[in-house]
Amino acid sequence: MPTRLSLGERTIHFCIDNLCKFYSEDRSRYGFLIPLDDYLYSREDVINNIVLWRNRDTQAISNYTKVTYHETATYLKKWINCSDRVFFLIFSADNDLIGHIGVILTGPESASLENFRRGVSTPDFPDMFFRAELFLINLFESKFNIRRIDIETMSYNIPLIVMHEAAGFRVKQCVELDPGEMEVWKGGRLVQDAHNKFKRVKMLRLSAG
């Protein structure tokens, strides 16, 4: 299936079967990173899954608020219409939607990763999300000449921080939460005065090239 991937003024044309296919370390398992386009956006099952995961997963957000289908669709439409960002959907080899990762161009040679969401567990491919992150990093460093990638997460999301560190990111700064982020949900429990307990963690990966 031929398609193209654009970021800023740079565009690459490719066939999804070879360019957006990533593998497990032993290459016995694989998945796909597919940019959100108008067709995928039109699929209600895609939007419904993203809404479900967002409202279920409270570890990755600082102030727990649920979102609606309309709010999510409006937010995702901005990703399709903006030339400086790409919202990738992660699919399994069986074409099941597993999660998503977003990439935003922040400068001529810099980008940030956000919207990390593992929606479905993959026991037969336990490091699938990590392998997708590594593949995406390599894609943008090799095809778009990105040399600096930033990520921001919360200090209580230890598994995600560990995964980012394994992908070459290092903690750059820890920032106190804003007054409006004083309550967070952790493990199904509301934690009061979170600004005294948790911080926003800024991480950085610099290309060796």
Side-chain angles (χ1 to χ4, degrees), residues 23 28 31 33 40 42 61 68-69 76 80 88 114 136 140 149 152 154 173 179 187 193 197 199 205:
Y23 292 87
S28 64
L33 277 158
L40 290 170
S42 70
I61 55 177
T68 66
Y69 184 101
L76 292 174
I80 298 177
F88 285 92
E114 60 175 66
L136 203 56
F140 280 90
I149 303 177
E152 189 174 286
M154 302 301 298
Q173 185 182 15
D193 292 332
K197 300 179 177 67
K199 295 183 179 181
R205 184 191 195 296

Side-chain angles (χ1 to χ4, degrees), residues 29 33 54 61 81 109 114 146 156 159-160 186:
R29 299 285 187 272
L33 277 158
R54 167 60 175 76
I61 55 177
N81 293 334
E109 296 184 349
E114 60 175 66
I146 296 299
Y156 55 81
L160 192 59
K186 185 176 186 300

Side-chain angles (χ1 to χ4, degrees), residues 148-155 161 165 169-177 198-205:
R148 174 192 175 107
I149 303 177
D150 292 280
I151 286 179
E152 189 174 286
T153 186
M154 302 301 298
S155 61
I161 293 174
E165 288 179 332
F169 288 89
R170 296 294 177 261
V171 175
K172 178 179 64 173
Q173 185 182 15
C174 293
V175 182
E176 300 288 341
L177 299 185
F198 304 116
K199 295 183 179 181
R200 191 178 300 280
V201 179
K202 298 178 182 290
M203 306 183 73
L204 172 65
R205 184 191 195 296

Side-chain angles (χ1 to χ4, degrees), residues 75-99:
Y75 173 75
L76 292 174
K77 192 66 174 179
K78 296 178 181 178
W79 281 78
I80 298 177
N81 293 334
C82 288
S83 63
D84 65 345
R85 61 196 63 197
V86 183
F87 193 93
F88 285 92
L89 299 175
I90 305 174
F91 286 90
S92 70
D94 297 323
N95 294 319
D96 294 322
L97 183 58
I98 303 301

